């Protein structure tokens, strides 16, 4: 993974000093809250319901054991012993004091971490496939480009006060695990007919109040031109976006307002000029230099046999172990979705133990997925039973990766100032209802995604079953959406109808799932059945109770 | 309003003229609306001319006239409105404007460094603003990752420079 | 225009640590049970105005009034958001104000 050189280290160090000064100025009254707020947001610091929340960047979801230990340390020293992994693969702490943040940033800097641009109207964390570098499906590892984009976008003077936040993801596989097309600017690594590797760039994806799938901007951008093209898109966005209505200021609004062709034309004009200036040309040597940081570990020549183990281990293997490009190796998903627990939460004990596990089994990196799970990218197959046993002791071995209890949920009204309803209790309730593993396997792939408000941090628009918490006259209600997808077949979920109370949402979801089981044809996932039969059958069953009550 | 240029407080040589006010004899800054209305008269004057653009006003609207201005003032209606960062860069890089680009309105001290990077070289600041704040703003972050209108060497270029 | 609620409480977050606090006769209390309850608009607005001094003095941020009601002799917040702010996350009963021995058990069952 990337290692800071003296320039990166100095950059982060100065950023910490700058924020320390900003905090002092705030506490001394030289800055009002209005003036301070954008500054603290640019360092990932929110004021939430109970305390401040600090969002720590995990660039392209990659951590080493030292960094994992530091997160455990921060959880213990400055928070209440746990943290939360988000749908943008960052780490959030929910019980932070403003006065501690400069020290926390200093601690983070000591392990090459920071909170820069994890909030605010700027370019956010660049995300990628959590199997990057380990899967045999990719054209190449997307993370070197992510790192190049990260550096280019760090305190970019022209783009620090965009109309709204800006999210970039880089994909390199036919099967999309990073919800690529839901991003403001997806970048896909592709090969053209000549066999050259380049980039396909899209723009205008986004969730929130008005969800959109991104539209193609340019089919093939040459390697050396990629930063020039990205800068062109950002410039058009910064210049031409509305600034009069906070709900209409994401790039998706601009692209859909002026149309795909016009957007392409404006971007192309900027692109030609930036290219001509040569200032953002990405030389092959630079790409190679960054690539070298992401060279895979030296894979040993190992027996490719998958070990057999206990009943529990065999169950875990079915869902949580995935094919690795190197014989004798496997990718293992560490579920942070224990039944009845908060999705994505992890304790300091678990974090430290994972760091130890990584060191013991010689796994240099751990990944965070946007589905709020962790991934060991390079596990030796022969070590899997021992790894599993360790995970089991830590309550990190729930065998549900990709199954219905592998739920995405935002923190919701239990923590978040923006929320209208709680999401975590709904996630827990649904998980408990479907706890039976045989039933889960029978249901198969079914992605439930829960958001506590329209900001959609729980990605409900992209859920096979999406759930949106709303406030109906002071009472928490839950709308069901069906048919969303965050994979390469990206689609926006359709709202089923009126919301359900907290008491009724669990049973409603059960009726929806039962409808699928009844109607499915051979080999169909929930999403496939929905796409075949449409909303009607699901809607009829879901509202059955209400219908009976009305009569 | 205090004006900072070349790292010091300077006297504003220009008078900013309201749209319905008479033009002074000397250096004057007018709005885009005023310029579009009285263009001939304004260009015919034998005195430096400046123009103040609102955040939605793209400098390309000035067309060929852009080089006739000694100063172009870019407004920040709120600090959140970052369009002026792109306008300043456009003025320097596409339109090759070499006059003064002045920032006015609601910008934060913490935006000053970004403004300089994209091509601003003068700042209208609040009464009581201390010069040492200005200098500190420019030195908080030493190195930059990306090229901009200021031509400052990027970290990538510094990395390639052989070090002793 | 919405009618002023019958009963109101004044709350804010402490600047230094973000903790939820409640107005209690000119000072900021940690617990909802200690908050002043306003039954007339004038008193509530006066308290809010007085609270602004604490904003200026960098003690709290964003003070605001919210509606409460009386239920079996107890003052309770009406909105779920304020119930949660006063107690802590409903999904971690061991954390936040609800974890203090002085707090009565509160029920946010779902």
């Amino acid at each position: 993974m990337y290692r800071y050189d003296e320039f990166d280290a100095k950059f982060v160090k100065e950023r910490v000093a700058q924020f320390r000064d900003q905090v002092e100025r705030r506490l001394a009254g030289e800055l009002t809250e209005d003036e301070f707020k954008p500054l603290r947001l640019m360092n990932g610091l929110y004021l939430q319901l109970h305390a401040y929340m600090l969002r720590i960047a995990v660039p392209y979801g990659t951590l080493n054991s030292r960094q994992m230990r530091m997160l455990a340390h921060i959880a213990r020293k400055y928070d209440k012993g746990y943290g939360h992994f988000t749908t943008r693969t960052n780490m959030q702490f929910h019980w932070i004091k403003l006065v501690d943040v400069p020290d926390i940033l200093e601690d983070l800097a000591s392990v090459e971490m920071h909170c820069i641009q994890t909030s605010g109207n700027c370019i956010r964390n660049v995300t990628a496939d959590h199997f990057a570098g380990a899967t045999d499906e990719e054209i190449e590892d997307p993370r070197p480009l992510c790192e190049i984009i990260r550096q280019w976008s760090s305190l970019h003077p022209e783009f620090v006060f965009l109309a709204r936040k800006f999210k970039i993801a880089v994909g390199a596989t036919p099967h999309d695990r990073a919800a690529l097309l839901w991003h403001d600017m997806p970048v896909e690594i592709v090969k053209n007919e000549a066999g050259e590797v380049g980039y396909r760039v899209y723009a205008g994806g986004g969730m929130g109040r008005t969800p959109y799938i991104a539209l193609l901007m340019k089919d093939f951008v040459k390697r050396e031109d990629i930063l020039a093209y990205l800068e062109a898109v950002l410039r058009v966005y910064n210049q031409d976006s509305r600034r009069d209505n906070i709900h209409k200021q994401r790039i998706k609004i601009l692209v859909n307002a002026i149309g795909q062709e016009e957007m392409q034309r404006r971007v192309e004009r900027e692109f030609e000029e930036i290219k001509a200036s040569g200032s953002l040309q990405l030389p092959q040597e630079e790409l190679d230099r960054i690539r070298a940081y992401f060279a895979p570990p030296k894979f040993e020549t190992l027996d490719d046999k998958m070990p057999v183990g206990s009943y529990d281990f065999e169950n875990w293997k079915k869902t949580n172990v995935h094919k690795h490009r190197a014989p004798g190796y496997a990718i293992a998903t560490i579920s942070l979705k224990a039944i009845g627990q908060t999705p994505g939460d992890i304790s300091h004990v678990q974090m430290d133990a994972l760091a130890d596990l990584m060191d013991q089994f010689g796994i240099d990196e751990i990944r965070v997925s946007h589905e709020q799970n962790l991934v060991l990218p390079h596990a030796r197959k022969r070590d899997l039973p021992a790894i599993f046993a360790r995970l089991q002791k830590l309550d990190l071995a729930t065998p549900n990766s990709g199954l219905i209890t592998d739920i995405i949920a935002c923190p919701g009204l239990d923590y978040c100032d923006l929320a209208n309803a709680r999401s975590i209790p709904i996630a827990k309730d649904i998980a408990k209802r479907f706890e039976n593993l045989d039933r889960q396997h029978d249901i198969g792939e079914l992605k439930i995604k829960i958001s506590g408000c329209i900001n959609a941090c729980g990605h409900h628009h992209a859920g096979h079953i999406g759930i949106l918490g709303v406030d109906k006259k002071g009472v928490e209600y839950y709308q069901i959406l069906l048919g969303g997808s965050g994979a390469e077949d990206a689609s926006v979920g359709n709202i089923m109808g009126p919301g359900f109370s907290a008491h009724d949402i669990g049973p409603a979801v059960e009726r929806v799932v039962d409808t699928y089981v009844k109607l499915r044809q051979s080999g169909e996932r929930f999403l496939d059945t929905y796409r075949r039969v449409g909303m009607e059958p699901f809607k009829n069953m879901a509202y059955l109770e209400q219908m009976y009550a009305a009569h | 309003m205090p004006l900072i240029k070349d790292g010091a407080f300077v006297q504003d040589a220009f008078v900013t003229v309201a749209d319905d006010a008479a033009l002074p004899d000397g250096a004057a800054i007018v709005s885009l609306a005023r310029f579009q209305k009285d263009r001939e008269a304004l260009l015919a004057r034998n005195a430096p001319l400046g123009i103040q653009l609102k955040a939605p006003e793209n400098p390309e609207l000035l067309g060929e006239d852009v080089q006739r201005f000694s100063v172009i003032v870019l407004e920040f209606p709120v600090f959140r409105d970052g369009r002026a960062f792109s306008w300043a860069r456009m003025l320097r890089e596409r339109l090759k404007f070499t006059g003064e680009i002045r920032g006015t309105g609601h910008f934060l001290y913490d935006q000053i460094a970004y403004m300089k990077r994209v091509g601003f070289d003068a700042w209208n600041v609040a009464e009581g603003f201390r010069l040492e704040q200005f200098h500190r703003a420019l030195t908080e972050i030493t190195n930059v990752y990306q090229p901009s209108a200021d031509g400052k060497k990027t970290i990538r270029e510094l990395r390639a420079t052989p070090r002793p | 225009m919405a009618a002023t609620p019958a009963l109101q409480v004044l709350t804010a977050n402490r600047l230094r640590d973000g903790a939820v606090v409640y107005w209690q006769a000119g000072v900021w209390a940690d617990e909802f049970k200690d908050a002043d309850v306003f039954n007339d608009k004038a008193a509530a607005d006066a308290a809010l105005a007085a609270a602004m001094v604490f904003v200026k003095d960098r003690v709290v941020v964003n003070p605001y009034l919210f509606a409460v009601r009386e239920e079996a002799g107890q003052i309770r917040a009406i909105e779920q958001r304020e119930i949660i702010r006063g107690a802590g996350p409903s999904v971690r009963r061991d954390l936040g104000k609800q974890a203090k021995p002085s707090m009565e058990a509160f029920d946010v069952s779902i």
Side-chain angles (χ1 to χ4, degrees):
Chain A
M1 58 186 278
Y2 188 70
R3 305 312 297 260
Y4 282 11
D5 65 9
E6 67 203 89
F7 295 103
D8 303 305
K10 184 175 172 133
F11 186 85
V12 171
K13 188 158 180 255
E14 289 179 336
R15 180 65 168 188
V16 174
Q18 184 189 54
F19 188 67
R20 195 180 284 284
D21 179 62
Q22 288 167 350
V23 173
E24 277 165 20
R25 282 156 58 206
R26 175 72 184 101
L27 294 174
E30 288 169 38
L31 289 172
T32 65
E33 187 62 17
D34 269 350
E35 292 168 336
F36 179 64
K37 189 170 172 184
L39 305 177
R40 64 166 163 80
L41 287 177
M42 293 271 291
N43 282 291
L45 187 63
Y46 286 82
L47 181 53
Q48 296 286 54
L49 291 186
H50 312 293
Y52 289 89
M53 181 273 279
L54 185 64
R55 184 181 293 150
I56 298 172
V58 182
Y60 34 87
T62 301
L63 291 166
N64 60 30
S65 62
R66 196 165 153 246
Q67 293 170 330
M68 185 63 91
R69 282 199 182 88
M70 178 54 75
L71 294 178
H73 167 77
I74 290 170
R76 269 191 303 274
K77 182 168 181 190
Y78 300 105
D79 202 272
K80 291 191 190 290
Y82 70 107
H84 173 76
F85 283 113
T86 73
T87 51
R88 298 230 71 240
T89 76
N90 292 321
M91 163 62 88
Q92 287 183 179
F93 288 111
H94 292 140
W95 299 91
I96 297 297
K97 302 180 170 68
L98 173 63
V99 294
D100 286 340
V101 176
D103 288 345
I104 296 173
L105 296 184
E106 209 168 296
D107 284 352
L108 288 169
S110 75
V111 294
E112 302 180 14
M113 294 185 82
H114 62 76
C115 301
I116 298 170
Q117 293 173 211
T118 54
S119 183
N121 294 332
C122 54
I123 300 167
R124 303 282 190 92
N125 189 22
V126 182
T127 52
D129 177 10
H130 40 280
F131 290 176
T135 174
D136 59 358
E137 297 166 20
E138 63 189 17
I139 291 180
E140 61 179 41
D141 190 329
R143 295 173 304 152
L145 180 63
C146 291
E147 176 58 27
I148 287 167
I149 295 174
R150 186 187 76 84
Q151 294 190 18
W152 159 78
S153 65
S154 293
L155 305 190
H156 192 307
E158 193 180 347
F159 305 136
V160 240
F161 288 86
L162 298 170
R164 278 292 268 138
K165 56 182 139 181
F166 200 92
K167 301 177 180 179
I168 304 173
V170 180
T173 55
H175 176 49
D176 176 22
R177 279 177 285 267
L180 204 67
L181 294 177
W182 280 101
H183 284 75
D184 296 274
M185 189 163 66
V187 179
E188 208 186 331
I189 301 178
V190 295
K191 266 196 185 141
N192 64 9
E193 295 103 42
E196 268 185 283
V197 177
Y199 309 105
R200 179 174 297 144
V201 183
Y202 303 77
M207 304 233 188
R209 198 164 294 244
T210 44
Y212 284 101
I213 306 294
L215 297 174
L216 181 67
M217 285 294 110
K218 199 166 175 74
D219 203 48
F220 191 85
V221 176
K222 287 170 122 161
R223 277 259 200 248
E224 62 263 27
D225 294 334
I226 186 61
L227 288 180
Y229 196 80
L230 301 186
E231 179 133 319
V233 174
L234 263 303
R235 181 164 297 154
V236 171
Y237 172 55
N238 191 47
Q239 289 177 357
D240 297 346
S241 170
R242 289 174 67 162
R243 301 269 179 164
D244 62 312
N245 179 346
I246 192 97
H247 303 302
K248 309 243 158 154
Q249 292 181 192
R250 294 286 290 275
I251 194 173
K252 61 186 177 172
I253 306 295
L254 176 65
V255 172
N256 285 280
I258 67 178
Q260 182 182 16
E261 262 183 56
E262 176 59 17
M263 186 73 192
Q264 287 170 326
R265 191 195 64 78
R266 294 185 194 184
V267 171
E268 194 66 23
R269 183 201 176 195
E270 296 292 336
F271 177 50
E272 287 303 317
E273 275 185 29
I274 299 169
K275 246 197 316 182
S277 78
S279 61
L280 277 174
Q281 210 219 21
L282 180 64
Q284 189 62 42
E285 311 92 67
E286 176 63 7
L287 184 55
D288 291 341
R289 192 184 72 84
I290 300 288
R291 266 213 193 108
Y293 285 105
F294 295 90
K298 294 217 160 17
F299 296 123
E300 299 171 52
T301 313
L302 295 175
D303 188 335
D304 200 28
K305 206 168 60 138
M306 180 66 82
V308 174
S310 66
Y311 176 78
D312 288 344
F313 176 69
E314 293 301 311
N315 272 329
W316 183 74
K317 252 168 49 181
K318 275 190 214 147
T319 49
N320 289 41
V321 175
H322 323 274
K323 189 168 187 301
H324 193 286
R325 49 184 263 219
Y329 286 79
I331 303 171
T333 294
I334 299 170
S335 171
L336 297 183
K337 316 290 179 69
I339 308 294
Q341 300 295 318
T342 300
D345 272 14
I346 185 168
S347 73
H348 69 102
V349 170
Q350 290 170 323
M351 286 189 260
D352 268 336
L354 282 177
D356 289 344
L357 187 154
M358 287 166 70
D359 290 345
Q360 191 196 333
F361 291 99
I363 304 169
D364 290 335
E365 294 172 22
I366 192 166
R367 309 285 176 78
V368 186
S369 81
H370 86 276
E371 294 178 323
Q372 303 174 303
N373 286 319
L374 297 174
V375 173
L376 293 172
H378 310 299
R380 292 171 181 75
K381 278 182 174 173
R382 65 166 187 233
D383 291 334
L384 287 177
I387 289 172
F388 170 76
R390 192 77 78 71
L391 292 175
Q392 228 185 0
K393 285 206 177 69
L394 296 165
D395 202 16
L396 292 172
T398 314
N400 63 355
S401 175
L403 299 179
I404 192 171
T405 61
D406 188 5
I407 297 170
I408 291 181
C410 70
L413 189 58
D414 280 302
Y415 290 100
C416 183
D417 185 51
L418 301 170
N420 286 319
R422 280 171 290 171
S423 49
I424 299 170
I426 306 302
K428 288 184 176 186
D429 176 47
I430 292 173
K432 287 208 195 93
R433 287 172 186 275
F434 291 96
E435 182 169 10
N436 180 284
L437 199 55
D438 289 331
R439 187 180 181 202
Q440 288 193 60
H441 278 285
D442 179 60
I443 293 167
E445 181 191 296
L446 207 168
K447 294 180 189 263
I448 296 183
K449 305 188 184 185
I450 308 174
S451 302
C453 81
I454 199 66
N455 285 298
C457 300
H459 286 199
H460 64 280
H461 294 296
H464 300 166
I465 298 176
I467 298 173
L468 171 64
V470 298
D471 177 328
K472 199 162 105 172
K473 294 197 181 113
V475 182
E476 293 161 292
Y477 265 76
Y478 298 91
Q479 283 186 339
I480 292 180
L481 298 86
L482 299 182
S485 173
E488 64 279 5
D489 61 350
S491 56
V492 182
N494 302 114
I495 297 174
M496 174 184 280
F500 297 86
S501 70
H503 183 260
D504 292 338
I505 182 67
V509 170
E510 286 210 78
R511 289 195 292 278
V512 166
V513 176
D514 289 343
T515 305
Y516 152 67
V517 171
K518 216 168 53 189
L519 295 178
R520 68 185 167 186
Q521 291 173 357
S522 161
E524 276 183 346
R525 307 165 299 164
F526 173 90
L527 185 59
D528 302 319
T529 302
Y530 171 79
R531 285 172 170 168
R532 179 172 57 80
V533 307
M535 179 64 83
E536 204 65 17
F538 294 97
K539 183 171 178 166
N540 291 338
M541 272 307 290
Y543 290 108
L544 204 58
E545 296 265 312
Q546 275 76 351
M547 279 168 54
Y548 282 131
H551 295 302
Chain B
M1 223 183 320
L3 180 65
I4 295 180
K5 191 167 177 181
D6 296 322
F9 284 113
V10 298
Q11 278 284 60
D12 188 355
F14 288 79
V15 171
T16 302
V17 187
D19 281 356
D20 52 2
L23 292 169
D25 289 328
I29 295 171
V30 297
S31 72
L32 177 63
R34 181 71 182 269
F35 180 71
Q36 287 170 333
K37 184 158 89 59
D38 296 334
R39 182 180 170 275
E40 298 299 329
L42 285 163
L43 290 177
R45 289 172 355 123
N46 202 12
L49 185 60
I51 190 161
Q52 179 154 329
L53 299 177
K54 295 186 176 2
E57 293 171 341
N58 185 324
E60 287 192 300
L61 293 166
L62 302 174
E64 302 273 310
D65 293 334
V66 70
Q67 302 304 341
R68 312 289 290 267
F69 297 101
S70 305
V71 55
I72 298 180
V73 185
L74 301 178
E75 270 180 40
F76 285 80
V78 292
F79 63 77
R80 252 174 264 114
D81 190 330
R83 285 179 281 193
F85 292 105
S86 283
W87 300 148
R89 227 178 143 181
M90 176 199 283
L91 282 166
R92 292 295 185 216
E93 293 180 340
R94 173 183 294 156
L95 304 177
K96 313 282 190 251
F97 178 72
T98 52
E100 175 185 311
I101 298 180
R102 184 187 298 185
T104 198
H106 298 273
F107 56 85
L108 304 173
Y109 144 85
D110 308 83
Q111 290 174 297
I112 288 172
Y114 303 128
M115 291 165 78
K116 178 155 194 282
R117 291 217 66 209
V118 296
F120 285 85
D121 55 357
W123 289 262
N124 269 331
V125 294
E127 293 291 343
F129 184 84
R130 298 190 316 280
L131 203 58
E132 56 99 12
Q133 282 174 276
F134 178 81
H135 290 292
R136 231 187 42 226
L138 295 180
T139 52
E140 280 174 340
I141 309 282
T142 307
N143 295 316
V144 299
Y145 280 107
Q146 63 288 109
S148 188
D150 61 352
K152 187 173 165 132
K153 255 192 173 170
T154 66
I155 286 174
R156 194 203 295 169
E157 289 170 305
L158 293 173
R159 281 171 177 152
T161 311
R163 274 161 342 257
Chain C
M1 192 174 80
T4 306
L7 297 176
Q8 294 183 93
V9 163
L10 177 59
T11 187
N13 289 76
R14 220 166 18 216
L15 173 64
R16 296 179 70 88
D17 62 1
V20 175
V21 289
Y22 300 96
W23 183 264
Q24 183 195 33
V27 297
W28 294 99
D30 283 335
E31 294 184 26
F32 174 73
K33 68 172 176 38
D34 298 326
D36 287 349
V37 181
F38 305 105
N39 59 11
D40 81 271
K41 187 177 185 307
D45 291 345
L48 182 57
M52 288 310 182
V53 176
F54 290 86
V55 171
K56 192 160 165 296
D57 287 345
R58 292 102 58 205
V59 176
V60 299
V61 291
N62 190 30
Y64 63 91
L65 294 159
F66 66 93
V68 297
R69 65 168 169 229
E70 194 170 333
E71 214 174 72
Q74 299 271 9
I75 298 292
R76 298 224 179 277
I78 297 172
E79 270 190 29
Q80 200 60 263
R81 182 198 147 87
E82 293 306 332
I83 295 172
I84 291 171
R85 277 181 85 247
S90 71
V91 291
R92 287 293 304 263
R93 302 303 180 93
D94 57 321
L95 300 179
K97 297 180 190 293
Q98 63 201 335
K100 289 192 206 155
S102 62
M103 281 280 304
E104 326 160 358
F106 93 107
D107 179 31
V108 199
S109 58
I110 213 163

